[in-house]
């Protein structure tokens, strides 16, 4: 037996060396993103597992090497641009993103490092092809020994509860985790279906119209209304000079739209996001008070089961979401937020009818030049990404003005808040980083009432020394409208999370992005 093994080693020397080096090559990108001793051990074990598989079956080894090479290249890309995080959160972001957003992402965040990653992946792909076509491997004693070692490793990892930490298996777990949202939406749909519809006494309601404008990626530090040096919010700045108009010091609960909007509009919180599944949104709350409710969105065409946000949108009496069209062979172009004015005008609302409107803007989402028409640009020929971003804020200010004009002669509560903030600099821009930056949570909350409302002043006084966390945004709306008189539900918690609910941190401990 010893002689047989030695003979196979001699016969397969080239294959053994090449497959070992190839296994190392496939996992080499992981060395750029490991941050703990446990992760280092995981990489070594993963290399060993892949190497042993090469002695079992060349085709299986090649397929696994190709898949892992591809995924590791994606992880390096994410690490370079967005920091380290579990692949499941990134996969979920991709699953929940419309095609236009993926196209825009690729055209915005690819650079020379990504070219190097692609070249590295292509070289690895060729090496795998070379192994399949040119290297000999006899499947005898070495295969038997490799199978035994693989079984021992798997059994040991299971006994130590480390299987999911080892890279080949971890990917399977990450993909499964990224798909969990589908089951959660189904569960929420079942919960909402069981809720009894009933009209509650409305004598304490203060308004005929509740108007909520949910912005996108608005950083309050880039708004004139919050002290920014560029005059990009002429309307909001003027509105804040009127009676019953206030700006608030608040933070977003997360740095991702898919989580922040559900938290803002339901009883879900940073610490208990999954309460969203068994919580109706503020839309259903106002349905219960006899309001006709509207969801008007310029985000993306969605069905009831497309996302957490779509689940909320379908609670409304009327829901309309802008389409996105593909032009010139597959390029995606989003509509500007002005389309929401057309949707609103087509409704022909009546002054004395109780109505709740939720407008979901595309606001300042990348790519910034696509978010505003040239005729509404503060900087007609922006010189850099900062001026492009400031143009988006300027156009949002125009949209807010136009929406307000349609409600100013009614008893209306007018609220503008953003889902999350944005990093805005010449070197880096965007949101969804991990670790996160403070500017991803620093958002505007501006409220105006067309009638006197003492509760608005109480809320402002409460905010003077205590920053509000928008995990309690729905309670703020209910308090101001008269549905709820309890201010104790308004959150001052500094806790936020980045990317997904497991990454809870203290906002005060986050760094500013300064370069």
């Amino acid at each position: 037996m010893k002689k047989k093994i030695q003979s196979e080693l001699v016969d397969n020397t080239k294959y053994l060396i090449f497959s070992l080096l190839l296994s190392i090559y496939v996992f080499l990108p992981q060395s750029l993103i490991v941050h703990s001793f446990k992760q280092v051990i995981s990489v070594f074990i993963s290399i060993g597992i892949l190497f042993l598989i090469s002695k079992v079956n060349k085709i299986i080894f090649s397929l696994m090497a190709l898949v892992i090479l591809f995924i590791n290249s994606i992880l390096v890309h994410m690490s370079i641009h967005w920091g380290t995080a579990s692949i499941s959160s990134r996969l979920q972001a991709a699953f929940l993103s419309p095609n236009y957003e993926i196209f825009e992402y690729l055209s915005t965040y690819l650079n020379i490092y990504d070219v190097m990653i692609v070249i590295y992946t292509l070289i690895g792909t060729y090496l795998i092809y070379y192994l399949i076509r040119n290297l000999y491997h006899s499947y005898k004693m070495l295969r038997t020994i490799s199978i035994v070692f693989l079984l021992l490793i798997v059994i040991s990892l299971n006994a130590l509860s480390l299987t999911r930490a080892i890279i080949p298996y971890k990917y399977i777990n990450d993909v499964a985790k990224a798909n969990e949202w589908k089951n959660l939406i189904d569960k929420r749909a079942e919960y909402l279906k069981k809720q009894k519809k009933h009209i509650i006494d409305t004598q304490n309601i203060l308004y005929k119209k509740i108007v909520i404008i949910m912005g996108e990626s608005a950083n309050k530090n880039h708004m004139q209304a919050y002290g920014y040096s560029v005059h990009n919010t002429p309307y909001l700045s003027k509105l804040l000079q009127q009676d019953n108009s206030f700006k608030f010091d608040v933070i977003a609960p997360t740095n991702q739209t898919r989580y922040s909007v559900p938290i803002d509009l339901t009883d879900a919180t940073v610490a208990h996001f999954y309460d969203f599944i068994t919580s109706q949104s503020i839309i259903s709350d106002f349905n219960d008070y006899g309001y006709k409710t509207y969801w008007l969105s310029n985000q993306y065409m969605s069905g009831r089961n497309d996302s957490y946000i779509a689940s909320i949108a379908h609670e409304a009496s009327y829901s309309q979401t802008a389409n996105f069209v593909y032009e010139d062979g597959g390029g995606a172009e989003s509509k500007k937020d002005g389309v929401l004015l057309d949707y609103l005008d087509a409704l022909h609302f009546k002054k004395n009818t109780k109505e709740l409107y939720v407008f979901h803007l595309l606001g300042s989402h990348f790519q910034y030049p696509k978010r505003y028409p040239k005729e509404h640009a503060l900087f007609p020929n922006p010189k850099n990404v900062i001026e492009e971003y400031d143009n988006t804020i300027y156009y949002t200010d125009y949209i807010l003005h136009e929406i307000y004009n349609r409600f100013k002669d009614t008893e209306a509560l007018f609220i503008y808040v953003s889902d999350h903030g944005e990093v805005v600099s010449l070197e880096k821009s965007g949101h969804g980083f991990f670790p996160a930056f403070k500017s991803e949570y620093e958002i505007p909350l501006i409220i105006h009432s067309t009638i006197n409302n003492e509760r608005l002043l109480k809320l402002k006084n409460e905010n003077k020394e205590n920053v509000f966390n928008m995990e309690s945004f729905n309670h703020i709306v209910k308090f101001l409208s008269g549905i709820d008189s309890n201010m104790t539900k308004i959150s001052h918690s500094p806790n936020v999370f980045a990317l997904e609910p497991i990454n809870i941190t203290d906002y005060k401990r986050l760094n500013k992005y300064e370069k």
Side-chain angles (χ1 to χ4, degrees):
M1 182 176 177
K2 186 177 180 180
K3 289 182 178 181
K4 287 183 179 180
I5 295 175
Q6 290 175 340
S7 176
E8 284 195 26
L9 287 172
V10 172
D11 292 341
N12 295 275
T13 298
K14 189 175 181 179
Y15 179 89
L16 289 168
I17 295 173
F18 194 90
S19 60
L20 176 59
L21 293 176
L22 185 55
S23 298
I24 295 172
Y25 185 92
V26 165
F27 282 101
L28 193 59
Q30 285 283 330
S31 64
L32 301 175
I33 56 177
V34 293
H35 295 278
S36 67
F37 179 73
K38 184 177 180 180
Q39 290 176 323
V40 172
I41 296 300
S42 172
V43 170
F44 276 107
I45 294 175
S46 299
I47 291 171
I49 289 173
L50 188 60
F51 175 65
L52 289 173
I53 289 173
S54 73
K55 310 302 163 288
V56 177
N57 186 286
K58 184 164 64 173
I59 301 300
I60 294 176
F61 165 77
S62 300
L63 290 174
M64 285 192 65
L66 187 63
V67 171
I68 294 171
L69 176 69
F70 178 73
I71 295 177
N72 282 345
S73 299
I74 294 175
L75 285 174
V76 172
H77 162 82
M78 293 190 304
S79 179
I80 290 172
H81 293 283
W82 304 101
T84 57
S86 69
I87 192 173
S88 62
S89 62
R90 302 300 185 184
L91 283 173
Q92 189 174 97
F95 290 157
L96 294 173
S97 298
N99 291 335
Y100 83 91
E101 189 170 305
I102 295 172
F103 283 124
E104 289 181 357
Y105 175 85
L106 293 175
S107 61
T108 303
Y109 292 103
L110 296 183
N111 57 25
I112 186 63
Y113 296 107
D114 297 296
V115 174
M116 294 171 64
I117 292 170
V118 170
I119 293 173
Y120 188 91
T121 304
L122 290 175
I123 292 173
T125 302
Y126 173 76
L127 294 175
I128 293 169
Y129 171 78
Y130 179 85
L131 177 132
I132 293 174
R133 290 295 302 270
N134 299 298
L135 297 183
Y136 168 78
H137 183 203
S138 60
Y139 299 99
K140 295 179 182 177
M141 296 302 299
L142 289 180
R143 178 172 63 180
T144 303
I145 293 172
S146 297
I147 290 173
V148 171
F149 272 100
L150 280 171
L151 288 173
L152 289 174
I153 290 173
V154 171
I155 291 170
S156 299
L157 292 174
N158 280 328
L160 296 172
S161 300
L162 293 175
T163 304
R164 291 185 177 182
I166 304 306
I167 290 165
Y169 306 100
K170 185 177 184 299
Y171 293 153
I172 298 172
N173 181 57
D174 284 337
V175 171
K177 186 178 178 182
N179 277 289
E180 285 180 353
W181 63 273
K182 294 180 180 177
N183 293 329
L184 296 177
I185 290 174
D186 289 341
K187 289 180 180 178
R188 186 167 192 269
E190 287 298 315
Y191 167 80
L192 293 174
K193 200 174 183 180
K194 294 177 182 177
Q195 301 309 300
K196 294 181 179 180
K197 303 300 178 185
H198 53 279
I199 303 300
I200 304 173
D201 182 14
T202 61
Q203 63 179 355
N204 294 323
I205 299 293
L206 302 175
Y207 297 95
K208 295 291 185 182
K209 311 292 181 188
I210 309 292
V211 183
I212 299 170
I213 299 97
M214 181 69 66
E216 167 70 53
S217 306
N219 181 336
K220 71 179 182 182
N221 302 310
H222 275 259
M223 298 176 65
Q224 175 196 0
Y226 274 86
Y228 186 47
S229 58
V230 176
H231 299 295
N232 59 353
T233 60
Y235 162 66
L236 288 178
S237 298
K238 185 177 179 180
L239 181 69
L240 287 170
Q241 296 174 8
Q242 298 182 20
D243 293 336
N244 299 307
S245 294
F246 297 97
K247 62 182 178 182
F248 294 85
D249 190 10
V250 304
I251 56 174
T254 84
N255 61 352
Q256 291 276 288
T257 302
R258 70 183 186 273
Y259 289 118
S260 61
V261 174
I263 290 177
D264 287 352
L265 299 182
T266 73
D267 287 335
T269 63
V270 170
H272 302 284
F273 170 75
Y274 294 105
D275 284 356
F276 165 70
I277 308 305
T278 54
S279 170
Q280 68 178 25
S281 77
I282 197 170
I283 293 174
S284 289
D285 291 335
F286 277 90
N287 284 336
D288 290 343
Y289 278 86
Y291 279 68
K292 187 169 184 179
T293 54
Y294 299 87
W295 180 278
L296 303 177
S297 172
N298 189 34
Q299 288 275 331
Y300 58 94
M301 180 60 72
S302 58
R304 186 181 299 274
N305 298 315
D306 287 343
S307 69
Y308 299 140
I309 298 172
S311 173
I312 294 174
H314 281 82
E315 292 178 57
S317 311
Y318 177 89
S319 175
Q320 186 167 4
T321 304
N323 294 310
F324 290 91
V325 297
Y326 293 83
E327 300 173 351
D328 302 326
E333 291 293 335
S334 61
K335 292 181 180 179
K336 308 298 187 288
D337 284 335
V339 70
L340 299 180
L341 302 177
D342 297 332
Y343 293 168
L344 177 59
D345 290 340
L347 295 175
H348 303 295
F349 64 86
K350 298 179 180 179
K351 287 185 179 181
N352 294 322
T353 304
K354 291 181 298 182
E355 294 174 323
L356 166 76
Y357 291 84
V358 179
F359 296 88
H360 195 190
L361 307 184
L362 202 48
S364 301
H365 200 280
F366 67 83
Q367 299 171 336
Y368 306 138
K370 292 185 177 181
R371 301 296 162 245
Y372 56 88
K374 291 183 178 179
E375 61 269 24
H376 286 288
L378 182 62
F379 299 99
N381 299 296
K383 299 175 183 178
N384 52 50
V385 70
I386 295 176
E387 290 187 353
E388 291 172 352
Y389 182 82
D390 289 346
N391 276 345
T392 68
I393 298 295
Y394 183 70
Y395 182 58
T396 294
D397 186 76
Y398 162 77
I399 296 298
L400 292 172
H401 189 189
E402 290 297 311
I403 293 175
Y404 174 75
N405 279 343
R406 287 153 172 82
F407 293 95
K408 64 182 180 179
D409 296 326
T410 64
E411 297 176 359
L413 180 64
F414 184 80
I415 304 172
Y416 171 61
V417 66
S418 185
D419 54 357
H420 52 74
E422 187 91 340
V423 172
V424 185
S425 75
L426 296 177
E427 293 80 17
K428 186 190 289 287
S429 60
H431 60 272
F433 295 99
F434 188 84
F437 299 99
K438 278 189 173 179
S439 54
E440 296 179 75
Y441 302 90
E442 294 172 340
I443 60 171
L445 173 63
I446 295 176
I447 303 176
H448 171 73
S449 173
T450 61
I451 61 174
N452 290 325
N453 185 348
E454 293 181 358
R455 295 185 178 207
L456 190 54
L457 184 57
K458 287 181 181 179
L459 189 70
K460 182 59 181 177
N461 290 333
E462 177 73 13
N463 187 233
K464 284 182 178 178
E465 297 181 2
N466 299 290
V467 173
F468 292 158
N469 189 318
M470 288 297 91
E471 66 179 357
S472 59
F473 176 76
N474 64 323
H475 296 298
I476 289 175
V477 176
K478 287 189 279 190
F479 171 73
L480 291 177
S481 66
I483 287 180
D484 192 347
S485 59
N486 189 353
M487 289 185 67
T488 61
K489 295 180 182 179
I490 296 175
S491 172
H492 302 289
S493 170
N495 289 337
V496 296
F497 68 74
L499 293 184
E500 54 185 339
I502 62 172
N503 300 320
I504 296 178
T505 188
D506 187 332
Y507 159 79
K508 295 177 183 177
R509 296 182 179 179
L510 295 176
N511 295 321
K512 292 184 177 180
Y513 184 81
E514 297 179 355
K515 280 192 180 180

